[in-house]
Structure formats: C-alpha cells, structure tokens
Amino acid sequence: MTNEAVALTGWGLTMPTRAAVSSISSAAELAPLLAGVGNRGVIARGAGRSYGDAAQNGGGLVVTLDAINDVEVLDDGDVVAGAGALLADVIAPLLARGRFLPVTPGTRFVTVGGAIAADVHGKNHHVDGSFGQHLRWLDLVVASGQTQRIGPDGSPDDVALFHATVGGMGLTGIIVRACFGSVESPTDQMNVDTYRCADLDSLMSQMVEREAGHRYSVAWLDGMARGGKLGRGVLTVANHALTNQTPTNHALSGGTRPTESQLAMRFAAPRINVPPVPVSPLNRVTLAAFNEGYYRAAPRVRTGQQVGLGSYFYPLDLVGGWNRLYGSRGFVQYQFAVPDSGAAVIRQALERLSSIGAPSFLSVLKRFGAGNSAAPLSFPIAGWTLAIDVPARLDDLGPILDELDDAVLVAGGRLYLAKDSRATPAVIAAGYPRLDEFRSIRQGIDPAGIFTSDLARRLAL
Amino acid sequence: MTDALARPTSLLILGGTSDIAVATVRALNSPVLRRVVLAARPSERRDAVVAALTGSGMRGVEVVDFDAADTATHQALLDSVFAQGDIDYVLLAFGVLGDQTDFEDNPDHAVEAATVNYVGAVSTALRVATLLKTQGHGGLVVFSSVAGERARKSNFVYGSTKAGLDSLANGLADSLHGTGVSVLIVRPGFVHTSMTSHLPAAPLSATAEQVAQGVVSGLRRGATVVYVPAALRVVMSGLRHVPRAVFRRLPI
Ligand SMILES: Cc1cc2nc3c(=O)[nH]c(=O)nc-3n(C[C@H](O)[C@H](O)[C@H](O)COP(=O)(O)OP(=O)(O)OC[C@H]3O[C@@H](n4cnc5c(N)ncnc54)[C@H](O)[C@@H]3O)c2cc1C
Ligand SMILES: NC(=O)c1ccc[n+]([C@@H]2O[C@H](COP(=O)([O-])OP(=O)(O)OC[C@H]3O[C@@H](n4cnc5c(N)ncnc54)[C@H](OP(=O)(O)O)[C@@H]3O)[C@@H](O)[C@H]2O)c1
C-alpha cells in the first residue's frame, strides 16, 4: 500500500525529507512497484535505526517490509527470516533452542534487511566478524523486478552482487529474505568481567589484553572527561554462561527452561517511552553528572558477574525513543574505524570534542578483528572503532568533525555509512578504496540507477 | 540535501551578484558545498563575483542568465537548474531600492521596481516552491526588509514591494508546512552594500556579513523569520504600534 508522502529521518532525527512510503507484504508486489518508479528512485527502509539519511529518499519512493517478518529456525540452528523481521523477533526462537544471534548491534530493534545492508558488527567482532559473514544466502529483488538468491558461493556475478549487497546500504536492490547462522547460548545469562580504567591508555591496553578468551568486549567512555581523565571508561568483557555455571532455571535446555513465549516477552518493545521534548535535558551539566556517576558506579574490578543476556546486549533498549532526548535539532553519531597504527586518532577525537564541551552521553570504543574483505562497502577493518553521540546544535561541530575526518583518513581509517550524516563524497571515497568496484556492480545490475537514497545523493555513492 | 548540521551541498542564488547574497554564500561554504548556481544578469560585476568566489577556493560555481523582470523565462531556467541536481537552499536576493522622489516623478520607474521586487518574486518563489516539493526537501531564503513592515513616506514604494514580498513569503511558509520544504524570511534594516552606498547609514545598521550570519543561524535553528540585527524585532514591533499622526512626523 502506498501512502501519502511522509517526512522521514534516521535515528539522529536530523535532515528530514519527504517520500512516498509503500509497505509491501510480499516480494511479488515489488516487480510492478519497481516498474513504475519515477526519476527520484526507490530505497528500502528497515526500522530506521541508521542515524543519518541511508533509509530515506526525498521526493521518491521508500519501501518498507515490516510485514515480511516470518522467522524460522532450522534444525542446524540456521535462521531463515523475512527481511522485515526485527532481530528482536529472532532472539526468542533462537534462545528457545539454546542459540543466539551470530552478531547483534547495540539495539535489537533493527531489521534483518538493515543488518545486512549495513553489515552490522557487534561486541564480538574480534571473534566472529560482521553480520554478513554469517549469511548462507539472501533473496534480492533487483531493478528488473526479478528475485535472485545469492550467497557467498555461486557464479562470479552472483557472488559479486552478494558481497556488494552486504554493506551496500540498499543500493543494489531490496532484500526480502535471508538465511544466517547462529551461535550457541546454553543459558540466558552472560558471565561478565568489568574493569574501570582511569585514563585512555590504561583502557586501551586492558582492551587489547583481555580480548583473547572473551567473545564479547566493549568499553563505555566518559566522553566528557578531560585532561588526565581523558578517555577514562569502563571495559566489559563477557562470554555466554554455561549450564553448569548458572541456576538450572537459566538453562535453555532441560525441564525448567523458559518457554519461547516467555522469552519473546523479555525481548518485546520497551514499555517506557520518551515523549518529544521541546528543550533537550542533555547538556554539559547533566551529561557531565551522568558520565561521572556512571563511571563512579562501576566497580574497579569485578569478575564473574552474571547478567541477563538482554540487559547485557541491549541496555539502551530499555527506554524507547531516547533519541528524542537530544531535542528537536537531533544529534549526530560520529563513528570511525582505524587500524591499530592509527590508535592516536581516538585520543585526538576525544580531545577535540571535549574541547568544545560537546555533551556526549554515549561514547563507545570497540576492537575490530579482520574486516569482511569480500564486501567492498563493509565498514569494519582490523583495529579500533570509536562511536560518539553529539548534539547537532553545537556550533563548532562541522569544522571539528571535518578535521577529524582528515585524521581518520591519514591513519588509514574510514567512517561508518550507517551512522554518517555530514561527511563529504571525497572523505567516503578515500575511506572506501573499493567504492568504484561497488559502483560498477551497481551499474551492471541497475543500469538506470533506480535504487538511490538521500545518502547516495549526498555522498555521490 | 543539507547535512545534519544544516550545511548545504548546493545553492541557487537568484540575484547572484547581491552583496548580501555573496556574503551568505561565503558563510554557508563548507567542505560539503559542491554546487553554487549564481542566477544574475550578465555584467562585469557578475564576472567579478564568480572570480572572487572561485578564487577563494569555492567549488562548483556556475552562472545562469537571469532577469527577475523577464518572468516568461523563469520556468525553463529553473527547470534546467534543478534537472542537473537537487538544490538545498534557494536565496531570493534580487531587488532594487530606487529613489522615492524619482518614483513619484516617474511612476513608470516605480512600476519597474515593483516588477522586479514583487512580480519577479512571485514568479520565482512559486516555481521554486514546486521544484523543492518535488525533491522532498529544501529551503527558500527570502531577503525581505523592515521597510516592508510599515511603509514610511520617505520610501513607501520600495517598502510596499517588500511588504508584498514578505506577505508572499509568509503565506508560502505556512502553505509549505509539512512538505519538507521551509521558508526563511530575512528582515534586515539598513545594510552597508552597493544598494545603499550612496545613502547615510541609518541607526542599527549592519554589514552584509552580519546578515549572512543571521541567515546561517536561522537556517540551523529552523527559524521562519530573522531580523538583522536581532534588536530590530523589538524596534519594529514598537514602530508598528506608533499612532499614525506620530509615525508620519518621525524623521525616518
Ligand atoms: C542504539 C543503536 C545502537 C546501534 N549499535 C550498532 C552496533 O553496535 N553495530 C552496528 O553495526 N550498528 C549499530 N547501529 C546501527 C544499526 O545497526 C544499523 O544502522 C542498521 O542498518 C539499522 O537497521 P534498520 O533495520 O533500522 O535499517 P534502516 O536504518 O531502516 O536502514 C539502514 C540501511 O539498510 C537498508 N535496508 C534496510 N532494509 C533493507 C532491505 N530489506 N533491503 C535492502 N536494504 C535495506 C536501507 O536502505 C539503509 O541503507 C546502532 C543503532 C542504534 C540506534
Ligand atoms: N542593503 C540594504 O540596506 C537592504 C536592507 C534590507 C533588505 N535588502 C534586500 O536584500 C537584497 C539584496 O540586496 P543587497 O543589499 O545585497 O544589494 P545589491 O548588492 O544591490 O543586490 C541587489 C541585487 O539585485 C539584482 N537585481 C536587480 N535587478 C535585477 C533584475 N531585474 N534581475 C535580476 N537581478 C536583479 C542585482 O543584480 P545586478 O548586478 O544585475 O544589478 C543585485 O545582485 C535585496 O532584495 C534588498 O532589497 C537590502
């Protein structure tokens, strides 16, 4: 069904554009829709959790697949899901079989299609890589209206199209269905070790030291600390708890295990929602206090703590619509990756942003293992990734982030397209040396260029 | 479209040689800006503006011939500009000040000024609004003037053209609400530019750069009206309520 044009933004609530939105409930509806697309083109939209303009298409058509959300877990633990299914919908059926998502971003409210199109990474990237590396196949509706089942094996053209689609930000076609693997999770608990680190150097060295032996690792940084405290933060490393490590009611096998519907309730949408706020409560004062409090509340060292899987992976999902807290002008998440040799850029970014007093409530530092080198636009590269939220209303933000872009590029790094809302075409092209390869695959499968988005236009992808 | 920080990637300036518009283009420049279309009548001044902007490192500066009074040419001209790519902000900056005594002596001159300032604005603003709606995003920046808020006997012809322009922009702003397209109405007082260089400065005068800053901050805030300097908002709201008998005698 095609609705009146509506204004769409990403999670950062910046740069709205209007587009006609068409919600489809079967892949068969796509062929006629694509045949009638006008010169402003078409793009798929998942749950709108990318921060910038990736899932919007001003003046054109936006297709949502919310109704294509069936989920099936096969006997070997592989999942077959409609591209409109939320990862939240996949978790319960997986856990009911003692398994979990192979990769999950920091929110479970993203779609399978969005997870593939951004080739998302999780806290286990250093061990398990990105989401696209766990795909068996996907069904892609291409510009001609035909559906192609493509995967990591097959004819060279199909394989190339598959890898361009993974991380391809919806620009190769519309993913309608996918099959991906899962990992073992014998219980619904995580064994978590926490280390509070007083400065950036100690945090980074702890991260490197503790990544071996832990499937999951992530550090929260106090984005507002300066001087000697710059980059202080809290590192957590974790593994799935085993059945002999938890009380029996946490085991996902055996007589006392939770039912699938009990599990589904735990991972349903949050019941607390932030209303729209006219004036952002997030400012330098409140956020300095929040960061200070969070840091102080963490134990200096605590090992072997058991935490529910939901609160470990999805602390931000407790409250719905928290993005509204940044006020009507929205916010930007600046996320870059640099190789180990470029680690100094992390300090530079924290210094520059704290120098303008950028009030940040979410700053996350992660290790990356080897990247998904087959996929030309996949973001992760071995080394570090830093993500910092900053309100878009800050006056000096533009020049400071432009300057950081240069530092990231000099260090051999790149920006994450799923988060970008302010880079230049040149910065993206320099960070993704295989952009031309991506372009030629796209040109081959969609010569008229019907798949396009605000992101693609803004960054001349 | 603009980026999350309201920085444009492309601009169209109707009245591309205006001092205020050129200052605004400079203030909106950033690494994301890659196309600047100056629509203006061919002249040495136009060549000089292109040379100055390009010389200062600005990328993608283009010119198109544009006469605000020649409304029959507007649709084709605007269509071709938009056909080559989205425009994030359109600055409607053309205008003539004229001379009140001359207008009273030669009403034909007043008609010419009204044609440029008002008729030209009707013709371009409505067409631009449609093109912006088609692309689903964009902003129209209209350079109005406090002179239009309450016409003064010393320049009421110019004032009335600005009043018409201001009303047009106001109505357009409301009609575009919810379309993804916004209108910013800029109401400067006396600005030191080529338009006013022959006149003594009025109180609360501003530079073109100050007007440009007002535009940038208005765009970032998503404002509909900005006064430059901001204090004029209060002054004008006072002046609007001065009794006619007193207003008539004010030396303004
Ligand atoms: C709180 C929060 C935490 C996050 N944490 C992480 C993290 O840890 N790691 C990480 O990698 N990312 C993270 N993200 C980003 C998020 O995972 C990605 O932006 C993801 O792509 C969002 O999926 P979505 O379904 O919301 O897609 P949308 O935002 O709607 O779309 C994203 C892109 O996917 C494309 N797309 C969507 N569906 C389809 C389809 N069916 N076919 C083809 N293309 C499609 C769109 O065209 C668009 O280009 C986080 C985001 C938030 C809000
Ligand atoms: N300066 C002030 O005090 C002041 C105060 C309030 C509002 N404003 C308004 O701000 C705007 C910009 O003014 P400014 O101060 O920058 O003055 P300016 O430098 O004189 O600019 C006026 C511009 O209008 C253009 N123009 C005039 N007639 C035209 C026509 N028929 N077709 C196309 N373009 C035409 C001129 O182009 P040419 O080079 O071809 O002549 C010139 O670029 C105007 O609308 C003005 O009314 C000015």
Side-chain angles (χ1 to χ4, degrees), chain A residues 260-424:
Chain A
E260 185 171 326
S261 57
Q262 283 168 338
L263 289 164
M265 296 232 309
R266 288 192 215 164
F267 293 94
R271 259 160 282 166
I272 312 166
N273 272 292
V274 174
V277 287
V279 177
S280 170
L282 304 186
N283 55 46
R284 284 164 205 179
V285 177
T286 55
L287 283 177
F290 167 82
N291 280 284
E292 180 77 30
Y294 190 97
Y295 179 78
R296 297 241 161 262
R300 209 178 54 75
V301 177
R302 178 173 58 203
T303 57
Q305 186 198 13
Q306 253 171 30
V307 175
L309 192 140
S311 41
Y312 174 74
F313 283 107
Y314 308 113
L316 287 169
D317 285 347
L318 269 174
V319 180
W322 58 262
N323 52 341
R324 297 204 195 106
L325 289 174
Y326 281 96
S328 60
R329 281 162 70 187
F331 67 112
V332 169
Q333 184 170 87
Y334 188 64
Q335 181 168 6
F336 63 84
V338 284
D340 283 329
S341 58
V345 182
I346 292 160
R347 175 175 297 279
Q348 190 181 345
L350 293 169
E351 267 167 5
R352 293 302 283 134
L353 287 168
S354 69
S355 77
I356 55 166
S360 174
F361 123 92
L362 200 74
S363 307
V364 174
L365 183 63
K366 280 195 265 231
R367 296 286 293 153
F368 272 160
N372 183 1
S373 57
L377 292 194
S378 176
F379 166 63
I381 48 172
W384 298 95
T385 183
L386 178 67
I388 308 187
D389 279 359
V390 269
R393 62 176 187 270
L394 287 186
D395 277 340
D396 302 323
L397 198 55
I400 286 198
L401 295 182
D402 295 338
E403 174 195 318
L404 291 175
D405 289 349
D406 289 341
V408 167
L409 293 178
V410 168
R414 51 170 58 163
L415 304 185
Y416 191 10
L417 289 171
K419 307 287 177 79
D420 180 63
S421 58
R422 35 70 43 203
T424 65

Side-chain angles (χ1 to χ4, degrees), chain A residues 119-184:
Chain A
D119 195 16
V120 299
H121 55 269
K123 302 174 184 183
N124 54 342
H125 189 273
H126 61 290
V127 176
D128 295 311
S130 52
F131 194 85
Q133 292 174 286
H134 299 268
L135 284 170
R136 312 281 184 243
W137 50 260
L138 59 83
D139 285 344
L140 184 71
V141 178
V142 296
S144 65
Q146 276 164 336
T147 306
Q148 301 198 6
R149 179 160 296 188
I150 48 180
D153 303 305
S155 78
D157 279 355
D158 285 1
V159 171
L161 181 59
F162 169 76
H163 289 305
T165 301
V166 170
M169 304 308 287
L171 297 172
T172 57
I174 298 180
I175 304 160
V176 288
R177 186 163 302 283
C179 175
F180 52 92
S182 61
V183 298
E184 241 183 278

